Every structure is written in C-alpha cells, then in structure tokens.
Amino acid sequence: MRNVLALVVACTLVVTAAAACQPSSTYSGSGAQMTSTEQAISQDLLTRLNQERAGRGLPPLAYDAGLTARSFDWSRTMPSLAVPATHLHHSELAPLLGRFSAAAENIAWTNGGTSGLISFSWMNSDLHRLNMLAPNVDVVGIAVYCAGHQMWVTETFGRSPSAGGDPGFGGVPPLSPIIDPGTDGPSC
C-alpha cells in the first residue's frame, strides 16, 4: 500500500504569556541538511499553507530557518520512535517558549504519498487546521525526511513576542473553503 497516510490527530499546542517565558538558547540543530527532493516537498507544503491562509484572509507565515532546522531534526527522529509507523510522537515544544510566545506542531507520515495528500489531510483535521490557520502565529518551519518512499513531515509554528495581541489560537476554523483540495505534488 504505497498511499498509506497516518496523521497524529492530537496536535501539540503550547501557549504562554511572553512575560512568563524563561530565556532559552537558540536551537542549533544537528546540522544535517535536507536533500533537494526534501526541500522541494517542504517548499510545496509552505506554498500550500500560505495559499490556505490567504484564502481565509490571513497573512502568510514567514519562513524561519531555526524552526526548519528543528523540524528537520524531528522528522529525522520520528522513524526511530514510531513503532508501528502509524503511532507518531510529537517533539517537546516547551524549549521554544524562550523565543516564541506560542508554538504548535503538525506531524505526518506517508508511504508513497505526496505533499498535496499531507496538506489536504491536515486541512481535513480540525486540530491540524487550527495550527495552520491560527491568526496568532507568524512564522513556520517545515521539513521533510525521506527514507525510500516513506515521508516524515514536521511543521513547527511560532508566534514572535513582537507580534503583539492575543497569543491564543482561537477556535477551530471551519473546514470550507479548502483552497487547494488537490492531492498531487512532489513525493519521496
């Protein structure tokens, strides 16, 4: 079954008041780099994410290199933690609260699926859609790790303390409209 897709239904959200954050060091990551295929998939997911946000009148999320490095390290870690592969684990987001006033994460795994399938599946999941369309986040890191035809994906969202306003995520956005319901796109 090449088009098996597993999504973690319970997304991770961490919100705190900026004043309550303890400073933490900047995430340095492992230094590993995504391949050109993994980069193309990540870029496609970022494009789809910002198209969905634009379709709801939300500003685009800025690419964050630190969150992307962290996301890539987690995507590379997930295969060793997921037994079976459909039982995914979230990373620990609390360390991000030294740099961000709120953070959230979407993760996914597919065997033979595409970036479009991942994006469409996330948009059809209330909690994943909440993270993607949260008006309070302003940056994102998206990374993919390919192992054969298997794809491990991590989206890490952040809210810069300078963003001001309410750090809360708000209610779950309605399902419609999904701007890009296509399941095509690059794959591993």
Side-chain angles (χ1 to χ4, degrees):
M1 284 212 260
R2 288 184 37 102
N3 281 333
V4 174
L5 175 69
L7 294 175
V8 173
V9 175
C11 300
T12 301
L13 297 169
V14 178
V15 179
T16 186
C21 293
Q22 296 294 321
S24 70
S25 59
T26 303
Y27 182 78
S28 60
S30 68
Q33 300 291 316
M34 285 186 278
T35 66
S36 59
T37 297
E38 292 163 341
Q39 288 174 359
I41 297 167
S42 297
Q43 181 58 53
D44 187 67
L45 286 166
L46 177 61
T47 299
R48 290 170 187 269
L49 169 63
N50 280 329
Q51 287 172 343
E52 295 296 343
R53 290 180 64 83
R56 308 282 179 115
L58 297 168
L61 297 182
Y63 167 86
D64 185 278
L67 288 179
T68 298
R70 184 184 191 288
S71 294
F72 185 55
D73 283 350
W74 190 248
S75 291
R76 291 178 61 229
T77 300
M78 281 192 290
S80 67
L81 302 176
V83 181
T86 57
H87 188 80
L88 302 179
H89 299 276
H90 282 280
S91 68
E92 176 58 49
L93 294 179
L96 291 175
L97 294 179
R99 183 172 165 216
F100 300 102
S101 58
E105 178 179 77
N106 288 345
I107 58 176
W109 167 82
T110 180
N111 186 13
T114 64
S115 56
L117 180 62
I118 298 263
S119 180
F120 183 71
S121 297
W122 277 339
M123 284 299 293
N124 277 282
S125 162
D126 287 349
L127 295 177
H128 291 94
R129 189 171 62 255
L130 173 62
N131 290 345
M132 295 169 73
L133 301 177
N136 71 321
V137 296
D138 59 349
V139 295
V140 67
I142 303 174
V144 172
Y145 173 66
C146 293
H149 293 290
Q150 295 186 57
M151 181 190 317
W152 304 84
V153 185
T154 305
E155 280 185 327
T156 308
F157 303 90
R159 175 184 171 79
S160 304
S162 62
D166 183 3
F169 278 70
V172 175
L175 179 61
S176 293
I178 294 181
I179 304 305
D180 185 356
T183 58
D184 59 337
S187 63
C188 294

